[in-house]
């Protein structure tokens, strides 16, 4: 055990269907580096891990529900994969907001396999280069991101990997990025995305809005 991440609090966000080794391997690596870890999920109790998406594995005790969790209480976030795990998480508004809050404050995030689905859902993929399980390539590109076929890729504190075969590289980069701490550029990118919301109107639509506004003012 080392003290490289001593004092760092890291959240793992997962639910039923999580690919077990994508939860346990990063957990062990970060724990060995001295981090304090919290398993956050959609509900209290336990979650069911799976091996290769189809074979039931172990169950894991949930430490905190995502509805009560705050990104301000943590220094980083890990999003394990498994097909059904992130598919369930991305349908939960609290889970999506929780993930987005890490990026908005520049805190490092690790996502592996299907975990980057949550980066897509939270608007984090836009403008960033990610890797993932190959079937997410189109989703990432449609969300404004760039997809690369690499065992691990880091972009402004976002660490992504493809499959369990990449876990050694993924875990090593997690320790490195969580040790570095806040990435200001990531937070600035998220702020820019929120500001750059343009509405394109054709001439007829613009005239209609102007006429409506004029009528409303005339009624006062």
């Amino acid at each position: 055990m080392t003290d490289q991440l001593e004092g760092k609090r890291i959240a793992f966000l997962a639910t039923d269907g999580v690919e077990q080794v994508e939860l346990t391997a990063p957990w062990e690596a970060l724990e060995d580096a001295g981090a304090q870890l919290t398993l956050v999920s959609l509900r209290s109790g336990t979650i069911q891990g799976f091996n290769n998406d189809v074979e039931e594995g172990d169950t894991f005790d949930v430490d905190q529900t995502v509805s009560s969790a705050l990104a301000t209480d943590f220094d980083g976030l890990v999003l394990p994969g498994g097909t059904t795990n992130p598919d369930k998480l991305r349908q939960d508004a609290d889970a999506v907001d929780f993930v987005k809050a890490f990026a908005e404050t520049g805190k490092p995030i690790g996502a592996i396999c299907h975990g980057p689905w949550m980066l897509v859902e939270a608007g984090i993929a836009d403008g960033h280069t990610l890797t993932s399980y190959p079937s997410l390539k189109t989703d990432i590109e449609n969300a404004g991101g760039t997809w690369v076929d690499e065992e691990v890729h880091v972009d402004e504190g976002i660490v992504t990997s493809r499959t369990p075969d990449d876990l050694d590289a993924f875990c090593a980069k997690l320790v490195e990025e969580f040790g570095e701490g806040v990435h200001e550029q990531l937070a600035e990118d998220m702020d820019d995305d929120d500001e750059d919301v343009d509405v394109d109107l054709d001439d007829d639509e613009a005239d209609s809005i102007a006429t409506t506004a004029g009528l409303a003012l005339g009624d006062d």
Side-chain angles (χ1 to χ4, degrees):
M1 183 172 179
T2 69
D3 60 358
Q4 190 172 351
L5 297 181
E6 184 176 0
K8 299 282 188 177
R9 292 196 60 193
I10 309 299
F12 279 68
L13 178 61
T15 190
D16 292 328
V18 63
E19 185 65 27
Q20 182 160 315
V21 71
E22 294 173 1
L23 171 62
T24 58
W27 188 284
E28 181 178 344
L30 295 175
E31 191 170 54
D32 285 348
Q36 302 172 41
L37 309 177
T38 300
L39 179 56
V40 179
S41 191
L42 301 179
R43 65 177 191 281
S44 58
T46 62
I47 61 171
Q48 178 67 57
F50 276 77
N51 298 311
N52 301 313
D53 262 343
V54 293
E55 300 174 0
E56 282 194 1
D58 299 325
T59 57
F60 300 90
D61 293 331
V62 174
D63 298 310
Q64 190 172 2
T65 60
V66 72
S67 61
S68 66
L70 297 173
T72 52
D73 292 335
F74 300 97
D75 301 293
L77 173 67
V78 180
L79 300 169
T83 307
T84 59
N85 163 52
D87 194 40
K88 293 174 182 175
L89 291 173
R90 63 180 177 160
Q91 298 177 63
D92 185 272
D94 289 329
V96 174
D97 288 344
F98 183 62
V99 174
K100 186 176 183 180
F102 279 86
E104 289 177 333
T105 50
K107 294 180 178 179
I109 301 171
I112 186 169
C113 197
H114 287 78
W117 253 340
M118 289 299 289
L119 304 180
V120 170
E121 196 69 31
I124 301 169
D126 187 16
H128 291 105
T129 299
L130 312 173
T131 191
S132 68
Y133 195 76
S135 63
L136 273 64
K137 177 177 184 289
T138 301
D139 292 335
I140 290 170
E141 291 177 341
N142 285 343
T146 300
W147 188 87
V148 292
D149 186 10
E150 300 174 4
E151 66 174 0
V152 65
H153 189 85
V154 182
D155 186 355
E156 296 175 358
I158 304 171
V159 182
T160 49
S161 282
R162 303 168 301 189
T163 72
D165 292 339
D166 303 323
L167 275 167
D168 286 346
F170 180 66
C171 292
K173 279 298 182 182
L174 287 183
V175 173
E176 180 181 330
E177 292 299 314
F178 290 153
E180 289 182 5
V182 170
H183 292 67
E184 296 291 349
Q185 188 59 51
L186 174 58
E188 290 176 13
D189 287 350
M190 294 297 292
D191 187 51
D192 288 343
D193 287 344
D194 287 340
E195 291 177 358
D196 295 340
V197 179
D198 296 325
V199 179
D200 294 325
L201 302 175
D202 60 30
D203 291 340
D204 290 340
E205 290 172 323
D207 289 343
S208 177
I209 291 173
T211 300
T212 301
L215 288 173
L217 290 172
D219 289 340
D220 288 340

